[in-house]
């Protein structure tokens, strides 16, 4: 059950990342990314230690479900970042450079 708790924490961090990107708080986004990477490493260590029974139907189903939700948020984060990049690129293209 610990692994499901960690997956839920990862999902919560992902949602906070999306909110940070949408509010253009890129410092918070960086902080949350570091926290998410550390949590992902912790999950991988637990899985590598083979202390988790993902063969049980409930654990497997729940981790698959949460992983799908995280992937949806990651897609939304990517789209938000691409939109911000496009916006800033357009701003830069409108600048008149002094020669």
């Amino acid at each position: 059950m610990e692994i499901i708790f960690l997956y839920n924490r990862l999902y919560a961090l992902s949602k906070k990342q999306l909110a940070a990107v949408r509010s253009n708080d890129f410092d918070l986004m960086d902080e949350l990314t570091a926290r998410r990477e550390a949590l992902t490493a912790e999950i991988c260590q637990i899985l590598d230690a083979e202390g988790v029974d993902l063969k049980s139907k409930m654990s497997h189903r729940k981790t698959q479900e949460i992983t799908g939700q995280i992937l949806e948020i990651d897609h939304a984060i990517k789209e938000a970042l691409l939109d911000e990049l496009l916006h800033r690129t357009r701003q830069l293209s409108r600048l008149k450079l002094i020669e």
Side-chain angles (χ1 to χ4, degrees):
M1 284 308 200
E2 176 189 11
I3 196 73
I4 294 173
F5 172 75
L6 293 175
Y7 268 84
N8 279 321
R9 279 185 41 207
L10 189 62
Y11 176 64
L13 280 173
S14 300
K15 289 194 311 186
K16 288 179 183 178
Q17 275 185 304
L18 180 56
V21 168
R22 286 183 173 162
S23 66
N24 292 331
D25 189 346
F26 297 109
D27 290 334
L28 178 58
M29 174 66 180
D30 287 343
E31 177 187 325
L32 292 169
T33 298
R35 289 173 52 193
R36 188 172 164 189
E37 288 172 355
L39 183 56
T40 300
E42 185 179 343
I43 290 170
C44 289
Q45 288 173 346
I46 290 171
L47 292 174
D48 284 345
E50 296 181 26
V52 177
D53 180 21
L54 287 180
K55 292 179 182 166
S56 78
K57 286 186 179 185
M58 190 204 58
S59 293
H60 181 73
R61 182 182 52 78
K62 192 65 178 170
T63 55
Q64 291 285 44
E65 177 185 315
I66 297 169
T67 299
Q69 293 170 335
I70 291 169
L71 288 173
E72 288 175 16
I73 291 173
D74 284 347
H75 181 75
I77 289 170
K78 180 183 89 173
E79 291 299 316
L81 287 171
L82 286 172
D83 288 345
E84 181 62 20
L85 178 61
L86 178 61
H87 172 73
R88 290 181 185 226
T89 300
R90 285 181 176 158
Q91 283 180 325
L92 287 172
S93 71
R94 286 187 219 117
L95 291 177
K96 301 286 185 199
L97 300 177
I98 299 173
E99 295 182 16

